[in-house]
Amino acid sequence: MDYLSIHEDDTSMSSSERTIERGFSRYGRKRSSVRMLLDEVNMTDRKTSWMDTEHRVILNVGGIRHETYSHVLKKIPATRLSRLTPNLANYDPVLNEYFFDRHPGVFSMILNYYRTGKLHYPTNVCGPLFEEELEFWGLDANQVEPCCWMTYTQHRDTQDTLAVIESLDLDGDPPTQEEIAKKFGWEDDYYTGNMSQWQRLKPRVWALFDEPWSSKYARVISSLSVAFILASTCSFILKTDPSFQIPDIDVFYSLRVVDEGGFKNYHKTIGTDKPVTSPHPNFFYVDLICNIWFTIELLIRSLFCPSFHKFVRSPLTIIDVISTGAFFFESLLHAILIQTGSLVTLDFLSMICVLRLFKLTQHFSGLKILIQTFKASAQELFLLVFFVILAIVIFAALVYYAERSQLNKDNQFTSIPLGLWWSLVTISTVGFGDMVPKTYLGMLVGSLCALMGVLTIALPVPVIVSNFSNLYSHSQARAKLPKKRRRVLQAHEVKPALLGVKQHHGKHRKKSSSATFNQPPANFKNANGGPSMHDNSASKLMA
């Protein structure tokens, strides 16, 4: 009878209760003994459940609830989660949870870091977002696992690339008035509204000569500058062609006395000589017009530049000054030394005008990206030059002694310096063929030199191509972005506005409620990112 009554009550018992009671019923124990034992088991289960509930912590991050234990959060001290207390403003006593308005996907990886001690990078978020979340929760970004480190640090390389592109001024979007004032150092006058006419005129003139995308007039001036650069370069190239040169003929007269039958007769002879040739005079006028434009452009740019010291130290400015000054200095020396014919120095000075081609980087963004690619690949290029020089010296010495190892009447490698020229030509895969090894050992050295050149030059090429592709792709992506973006208000800008709305609606409520709203809006944001105690009390009164 007792067994049947106990069996009927199994539905209200736990599994442990059922097992113990059935065991005792099989061996004929009394019901009172069974009940005493069950009471002890229930007390132990309740104590365990109460301890489990006491140490359990519920975290609501972005609307997703996460549960863990308090001792898990204490594993990493001096962090935001290790200092959770019910006294915080973002603790909800009704739901017994802490609320954080943060990214829930990133928080799952952060909570896993507390559980396992390993911080992995989520692949579905951007790197700066993950860094901001780590900073908010008080964690160190350097604790990311090595398996995720390369993926995690890619955004830093991207940010460096975007910063370089930003410095190149590739964007066609004209700067705002505030940006122009900061560029010229007139922030105080701009904010106070005390801008003079000179301060308003100077940026406009500078934009005409330095920012081709700023206006249609700037594009016209840019086109003129490019045309003069090309005309000056073409003039320098064409005037060296023999068909465009005029010989300088020297005419000389001589008087010769001829004795004809006792009578002296005088014969006059005329001779010509062509010692040198000179370019056609029209090339001088072309160069003169181009250099007058370059001089005017240089003076205007130096007068209206934002910073004269930075402008003078610019490489393009130095090239422009040297090229323009070389032309006028050459013209002056030509006028002084026209009778001497010593024009070697003048020919050397005229070569400097070719450097003006670097000024085209101001007008073409592709050239800026190419130059920046070489700057970004400077370390790889220096490494390439070091290995090439090392290989040149080694193979020059090897081929010199290899050609002397056998009897060789046609030996062209009479010294190691001559071998340096041969190894340079061979490693660079040019192969003029002016110097060729004749012995079998020398041919072996030449083969190894050619193979080493192919491998050495091919190694840094992918890095340089990758840098160029990275810069070019990011510049194209940045150019396709919208010029104007919607402004996102900050937290300190939003909460006063919301507080004003509460005050407006609170006018029709009780005076106690309005008195609460009229308190100064201080401490809108506590240490955990949640609303302050004042906001909680106001929201309760509103409800």
Side-chain angles (χ1 to χ4, degrees):
M1 185 66 181
D2 291 340
Y3 174 73
L4 293 176
S5 62
I6 292 174
H7 185 68
E8 290 174 356
D9 295 337
D10 278 351
T11 57
S12 60
M13 298 179 182
S14 64
S15 60
S16 61
E17 292 174 350
R18 295 194 196 99
T19 304
I20 296 173
E21 192 156 348
R22 288 172 183 173
F24 277 100
S25 62
R26 290 178 183 177
Y27 292 99
R29 299 294 181 90
K30 293 183 180 180
R31 185 181 181 86
S32 59
S33 300
V34 175
R35 284 300 180 186
M36 291 176 61
L37 184 59
L38 289 175
D39 290 339
E40 294 179 2
V41 173
N42 290 334
M43 288 295 294
T44 304
D45 292 342
R46 292 192 188 99
K47 186 177 180 180
T48 304
S49 177
W50 175 78
M51 292 178 63
D52 182 72
T53 305
E54 182 184 9
H55 295 285
R56 185 181 300 175
V57 179
I58 301 175
L59 304 172
N60 188 340
V61 180
I64 297 180
R65 294 164 61 91
H66 303 266
E67 295 187 14
T68 185
Y69 294 102
S70 58
H71 69 272
V72 175
L73 302 180
K74 299 293 183 181
K75 290 183 178 180
I76 307 177
T79 57
R80 189 180 295 273
L81 294 178
S82 64
R83 298 190 296 263
L84 293 180
T85 60
N87 297 326
L88 296 176
N90 57 341
Y91 174 73
D92 191 345
V94 177
L95 299 177
N96 190 24
E97 66 180 19
Y98 297 88
F99 176 76
F100 297 92
D101 191 15
R102 307 298 299 185
H103 196 285
V106 176
F107 182 76
S108 62
M109 307 302 295
I110 292 175
L111 186 58
N112 185 66
Y113 179 40
Y114 282 88
R115 291 168 177 163
T116 63
K118 296 181 178 181
L119 182 60
H120 291 277
Y121 172 73
T123 57
N124 58 344
V125 298
C126 189
L129 174 61
F130 188 52
E131 283 190 343
E132 291 177 1
E133 293 297 316
L134 291 178
E135 183 180 359
F136 175 79
W137 297 109
L139 299 177
D140 187 8
N142 295 324
Q143 299 300 322
V144 177
E145 291 299 307
C147 59
C148 301
W149 182 253
M150 291 300 298
T151 307
Y152 169 68
T153 55
Q154 283 181 356
H155 72 280
R156 298 180 182 177
D157 298 334
T158 303
Q159 288 177 338
D160 295 339
T161 302
L162 294 176
V164 171
I165 294 175
E166 185 72 23
S167 64
L168 295 179
D169 294 332
L170 300 179
D171 194 4
D173 189 19
T176 61
Q177 295 295 328
E178 183 178 0
E179 294 174 349
I180 293 175
K182 290 182 179 179
K183 184 177 181 180
F184 283 82
W186 300 331
E187 299 95 329
D188 298 337
D189 295 337
Y190 174 78
Y191 292 130
T192 57
N194 297 326
M195 299 284 290
S196 62
Q197 294 294 331
W198 169 252
Q199 291 176 335
R200 298 179 187 275
L201 176 64
K202 188 175 181 179
R204 296 178 181 178
V205 178
W206 172 255
L208 289 176
F209 287 87
D210 192 72
E211 300 173 357
W213 61 84
S214 60
S215 63
K216 61 180 181 181
Y217 301 105
R219 286 191 289 269
V220 171
I221 294 177
S222 176
S223 301
L224 286 175
S225 181
V226 172
F228 280 113
I229 292 174
L230 295 179
S232 176
T233 306
C234 293
S235 174
F236 171 74
I237 295 173
L238 293 177
K239 67 183 179 181
T240 59
D241 189 87
S243 58
F244 292 99
Q245 290 186 345
I246 299 176
D248 292 337
I249 301 176
D250 295 336
V251 180
F252 57 90
Y253 301 92
S254 63
L255 183 62
R256 185 176 58 179
V257 180
V258 180
D259 188 4
E260 296 178 353
F263 296 95
K264 294 182 178 180
N265 194 4
Y266 297 92
H267 293 272
K268 295 181 179 180
T269 58
I270 301 177
T272 59
D273 186 19
K274 188 184 73 171
V276 293
T277 58
S278 60
H280 197 278
N282 292 334
F283 287 109
F284 172 77
Y285 298 110
V286 173
D287 293 338
L288 179 61
I289 295 173
C290 293
N291 281 273
I292 289 175
W293 166 261
F294 295 142
T295 304
I296 295 174
E297 183 183 17
L298 180 62
L299 292 176
I300 293 177
R301 287 169 58 85
S302 61
L303 183 62
F304 293 90
C305 62
S307 176
F308 183 76
H309 296 287
K310 293 182 179 179
F311 176 76
V312 172
R313 292 194 299 265
S314 175
L316 295 180
T317 304
I318 296 174
I319 290 174
D320 203 4
V321 171
I322 294 176
S323 302
T324 306
F327 170 77
F328 292 106
F329 185 67
E330 177 186 357
S331 301
L332 180 62
L333 286 181
H334 186 272
I336 296 174
L337 304 175
I338 190 64
Q339 301 297 330
T340 62
S342 178
L343 302 178
V344 178
T345 306
L346 301 182
D347 294 338
F348 174 77
L349 292 176
S350 62
M351 294 171 55
I352 304 177
C353 69
V354 183
L355 299 177
R356 283 204 185 96
L357 291 175
F358 288 100
K359 292 182 61 178
L360 295 177
T361 56
Q362 292 180 332
H363 312 279
F364 298 100
S365 59
L367 293 176
K368 292 183 179 180
I369 295 176
L370 182 61
I371 294 176
Q372 191 60 40
T373 300
F374 286 108
K375 290 183 179 180
S377 308
Q379 184 176 0
E380 290 78 12
L381 291 174
F382 282 128
L383 188 63
L384 171 63
V385 172
F386 172 75
F387 283 124
V388 168
I389 293 176
L390 184 63
I392 287 173
V393 175
I394 293 175
F395 284 104
L398 289 177
V399 75
Y400 171 73
Y401 289 105
E403 288 295 293
R404 293 168 60 92
S405 62
Q406 298 178 9
L407 183 60
N408 185 10
K409 297 181 180 180
D410 299 328
N411 184 15
Q412 296 177 321
F413 300 91
T414 57
S415 63
I416 293 181
L418 292 177
L420 293 175
W421 166 252
W422 169 84
S423 59
L424 173 61
V425 172
T426 306
I427 285 179
S428 60
T429 67
V430 176
F432 289 122
D434 53 347
M435 299 179 66
V436 180
K438 302 298 176 59
T439 62
Y440 291 106
L441 188 57
M443 293 178 185
L444 178 61
V445 172
S447 302
L448 295 177
C449 183
L451 292 175
M452 182 62 69
V454 172
L455 295 177
T456 304
I457 295 176
L459 286 177
V461 170
V463 178
I464 299 174
V465 173
S466 177
N467 291 334
F468 179 81
S469 177
N470 190 21
L471 287 169
Y472 185 78
S473 60
H474 281 89
S475 64
Q476 294 298 315
R478 185 176 179 272
K480 295 178 182 178
L481 288 175
K483 303 302 180 183
K484 295 182 180 179
R485 300 185 182 181
R486 179 174 294 178
R487 181 174 177 266
V488 179
L489 298 178
Q490 301 296 327
H492 66 276
E493 298 176 326
V494 176
K495 289 189 175 182
L498 294 177
L499 189 60
V501 174
K502 292 180 181 180
Q503 291 177 354
H504 177 72
H505 291 286
K507 292 180 180 179
H508 303 287
R509 303 296 179 94
K510 296 183 295 184
K511 292 183 179 180
S512 60
S513 176
S514 61
T516 304
F517 291 132
N518 290 329
Q519 295 178 1
N523 298 328
F524 285 111
K525 192 173 184 179
N526 55 46
N528 290 294
S532 64
M533 295 298 293
H534 171 70
D535 293 338
N536 286 340
S537 61
S539 61
K540 292 178 181 178
L541 290 174
M542 285 290 294

